[in-house]
Amino acid sequence: MTSSARLMKVGRCPTDELSLTNCAIVNDRDFNIEHVKHIDVFPVPNDRPFTFSLKSNNGVQPAKVGWPWNKQ
């Protein structure tokens, strides 16, 4: 398993439907979701991570994560 850290900003989900999925929404240019299925999010450095499944949508700007409205 390969891991790499990446700092990204939080943005809005591009659709209401995606915001209800409980997934992190990313741009295709940032992640190939055929190979990367989940991400670990560290809200505080050195704290325990939260793991989210990924979905892709080009409505999310590159270098941002579209976050479900109920997780912001």
Side-chain angles (χ1 to χ4, degrees):
M1 179 188 309
T2 305
S3 68
S4 64
R6 189 182 298 197
L7 184 62
M8 300 178 80
K9 292 186 176 190
V10 173
R12 291 182 173 254
C13 271
T15 67
D16 290 338
E17 182 179 289
L18 285 172
S19 72
L20 298 174
T21 64
N22 202 30
C23 294
I25 314 303
V26 296
N27 190 291
D28 289 336
R29 289 183 258 167
D30 291 321
F31 292 95
N32 179 349
I33 64 167
E34 295 298 319
H35 300 298
V36 180
K37 304 279 188 199
H38 309 284
I39 59 171
D40 288 333
V41 176
F42 292 84
V44 178
N46 300 319
D47 201 0
R48 74 176 184 92
F50 294 91
T51 302
F52 289 91
S53 297
L54 288 180
K55 289 190 179 279
S56 67
N57 185 289
N58 287 329
V60 176
Q61 294 178 356
K64 288 194 174 185
V65 177
W67 216 247
W69 65 269
N70 59 342
K71 300 293 179 205
Q72 292 184 9

